[in-house]
Amino acid sequence: PKWKKVGENWNSILPSQEDIDLQINTILHTNAVINLGSSMVFDYSLFDKPCLFLNYDVDQKVDANWSSKKVYKFVHFRSMPTGKEVVWLNSKTEIGPKLNSILNNSTETVNYAKEWFSKINLCPVENSSKRIWASIDEIYKSCT
C-alpha cells in the first residue's frame, strides 16, 4: 500500500492517490477478495465481484487475546443486514471450495453486498464528491 501516516494512532494512516490507483488496478485484475473484515467488500461489489471474510483463528496465535471474532463485533459490522453480503471462511479448509464456488456464482452475494453498501452510503455514489464539496462549502460559509 501507498499510505500516508498523518498521526500516531492506527487509524491515522490514510490512502494516497497512488494507493487508490493501486487498489482499483488490483480490483480490475482479480475476481474476488479474501480478507479479514474490511470495507473492500464494498469496493469489490461496485465492480460486481465478491468478498470472502476470514472468520477463524490461526492455530499458533502471536497474541493469545486476539480473535477474528473481535473484528466482526466492531461497530461498522453491526450494519450488515443478513450475513449473506460476504462468503464466510470458517476454517482454512473452506478457502478452496468456497472460493471456487463463489467464482462460479457470485451474483446473490454481490447483490447483498450492494444492498449493504446502499444502506450505509448515500446514493448515487457517483455524486459523492459533489456532496463532499457542498458540505465543505457549507462549513466554510458558516465560519466566515
Side-chain angles (χ1 to χ4, degrees):
K2 307 292 184 181
W3 296 337
K4 294 178 184 174
K5 188 167 175 58
V6 296
E8 296 304 315
N9 296 323
W10 68 269
N11 62 351
S12 63
I13 299 173
L14 302 174
S16 64
Q17 182 61 50
E18 189 179 11
D19 187 59
I20 293 170
D21 295 344
L22 178 62
Q23 179 182 348
I24 296 299
N25 193 45
T26 300
I27 294 169
L28 290 173
H29 290 91
T30 55
N31 294 324
V33 64
I34 299 175
N35 63 34
L36 179 64
S38 166
S39 61
M40 292 292 288
V41 60
F42 304 125
D43 302 315
Y44 270 75
S45 72
L46 292 173
F47 289 88
D48 295 319
K49 297 179 180 188
C51 175
L52 299 89
F53 275 174
L54 298 170
N55 192 35
Y56 63 91
D57 294 335
V58 295
D59 294 332
Q60 297 178 351
K61 293 182 182 184
V62 173
D63 181 348
N65 294 318
W66 184 250
S67 171
S68 63
K69 308 293 187 255
K70 286 183 179 183
V71 172
Y72 302 112
K73 291 182 181 172
F74 291 161
V75 67
H76 48 281
F77 288 105
R78 292 183 198 158
S79 65
M80 184 186 286
T82 68
K84 297 178 183 176
E85 295 75 14
V86 299
V87 172
W88 296 96
L89 299 173
N90 299 307
S91 71
K92 62 183 176 184
T93 59
E94 291 184 357
I95 295 173
K98 285 189 173 182
L99 181 58
N100 188 47
S101 176
I102 198 66
L103 290 177
N104 288 315
N105 185 9
S106 64
T107 304
E108 184 176 1
T109 301
V110 169
N111 286 341
Y112 277 113
K114 287 180 178 183
E115 287 176 26
W116 182 19
F117 183 78
S118 293
K119 179 180 179 179
I120 63 170
N121 290 283
L122 287 176
C123 292
V125 296
E126 294 81 13
N127 295 341
S128 296
S129 295
K130 290 178 186 176
R131 289 191 298 267
I132 291 168
W133 281 115
S135 295
I136 290 170
D137 194 39
E138 274 186 50
I139 293 167
Y140 176 75
K141 287 176 183 176
S142 70
C143 294
T144 57

